[in-house]
Amino acid sequence: MFLTLVYLHGYIFQKKIFKIDYKKNFYETSLIGIIITLLISQIINFFLPLNDNILYLNILLLLIYIFFNKENLIRNTKFNLNIFLVCLVIVFFNIYGSGFSDDIDHYHYGFISNADTGNFIWGYSFLNLLYGTSPVWLTGQSYLNFDFSRLQDIHVTNGLIFFLILGLFISEIRSKKNLFFYKPYLFLVLIFLLLKYTRLKEFGIDKPATILFCFMIYYYLKYFLNFDKVNLLSNFIILSLISISIILIKITYLPVLFLPFIILAKYRSQLIKKDTRYFFLLIPFLILIFKNILGTGCIIYPIESLCISHISWVNNSGAGELSILTETFNKSWSNYKGDLLEINYIKNFNWLPTWFDRSKIEILEFTLTILLVIFITLISFKTNFKNYIINNKKLKLFFYFLMFLIITSICFFFIKNPVLRMNHPTLISIMTLSLILFCESNLKKINNNTIYVFFVLAVSFNLIKNIDRIVDKNFVNNPYFEINSKISKPVKKDIDNFTYYIGWYGETPIGNRDLNNKKHKKILIFNIIN
């Protein structure tokens, strides 16, 4: 049902609003639909709770749309049933075999509960510092669940995006398209996702943002590297929506905006003009600004210098505290046994030996996986080891983007955020760069047998890992039991007469805030903590 919902959101957006007159892949349309659904859910939650009534209304409106447009939908909605079923099986075992993310009890479930039961809270970060980040992915998870079965539903959004990216890449690899670096990239990412993304319910917010990043690169390769003059403006706006949505999920992925920026610079004569469709780019930008200012009093949270001090609900001290807390945690302060104070430990690379000792196995695993994925891709597609210099002008823009992203991400990695799981776009960019250097640009023939064998092996690896987990759980998938084994119930608290949820259990460094000096007031329908 949720798949139908996001597909129709993407279909209506492209066909009816943008008037794109060519058929798009079912999975591609649905991925765009997920982005539209995220934006819709965040806009609604500024004013209303994302309870079941909103979802029922959305479903009702779409059923009416289906009734009056069923012939067009049947004609335009086509997909390969075999691919659909393969992806469904993979996602089913990924759901059944994995537990919940550690962050579900710290702030994810509390955030989702608040969004389900009330509209967006001004001064949100006073309740939990991580609420100030207010990832739009959690808002989307709040929207796409039914309150009576929330624990079974909240990971459906993770399942949807993983199912769609697998279906999209498999169907495009099997297509007859012969585009520059297109299929090698799709195959490389597909194998990487199957090997590394095996715990679907534990995705958190990093992996959905990474999957959208992979989708953004796919969109560029398909519609810009292989130039489509007819729909240039529409495709530019859609690619920009994808990139901004990535930032709405994870603000640290800000460098992805460089891709639409360089496209705009290259095609400025065709793109810089009056067009009402540009209005749709204002929506995610306004969402980003409003959710930061209303939730924290900061233009970009948690950058303390960008907080607006005269706003009564501003949390500049919380922004500074979160910035330090996340940096010390990411740099493995909890594993440090020396005499340095916390503030000195994170400076001048004092943290590096402790971090490396804690992370060396993970680093080795990722390095071996990356090398394996690159090797598999290069032997599956024709290689050209003399291609060290980019001769194709169409690739230069993409090359500059990848280099910019890799350099800025590595700098941010060592300065602030040395966590590999939060830097998958960088790893994927490095692997993609290897294709530009070593893979034949325009493939006439592809070794389909080799591709098929490696794909089957990757799928088998993914399924075996999850089947093993399912056997360990005695084939029982009971999220209530799993959660209640360590968590009794959501932590419900009050400020004055205002009720909110802080999380589920445990004394975390950023949850369970001391709110004795905070007050609640209500202006019209808006709850404000100040």
Side-chain angles (χ1 to χ4, degrees), residues 10-67:
Y11 179 87
I12 293 169
F13 174 77
Q14 292 181 101
K15 301 287 184 181
K16 302 301 179 182
I17 298 176
F18 264 50
K19 308 294 184 184
I20 296 178
D21 56 359
Y22 59 93
K23 292 182 180 179
K24 292 238 181 179
N25 184 296
F26 167 81
Y27 302 100
E28 180 183 317
T29 299
S30 300
L31 279 164
I32 293 170
I34 280 187
I35 292 169
I36 300 304
T37 305
L38 294 176
L39 299 178
I40 290 171
S41 63
Q42 187 63 70
I43 292 169
I44 292 173
N45 192 233
F46 279 136
F47 305 98
L48 296 168
L50 297 174
N51 56 36
D52 291 352
N53 293 331
I54 299 293
L55 189 57
Y56 292 142
L57 178 60
N58 192 174
I59 293 169
L60 176 62
L61 292 173
L62 290 178
L63 287 174
I64 294 170
Y65 179 83
I66 291 172
F67 180 79

Side-chain angles (χ1 to χ4, degrees), residues 330-332 345 350-364 418:
N330 293 339
K331 292 179 177 177
S332 304
Y345 168 78
N350 294 324
W351 53 273
L352 193 58
T354 304
W355 170 84
F356 181 78
D357 187 59
R358 178 178 179 271
S359 307
K360 58 188 177 185
I361 295 176
E362 185 184 11
I363 294 170
L364 178 62

Side-chain angles (χ1 to χ4, degrees), residues 374-392:
I374 293 171
F375 175 74
I376 287 172
T377 306
L378 290 178
I379 64 174
S380 299
F381 296 85
K382 189 177 180 181
T383 55
N384 178 5
F385 292 98
K386 296 179 180 179
N387 192 23
Y388 290 103
I389 299 174
I390 298 172
N391 298 314
N392 192 307

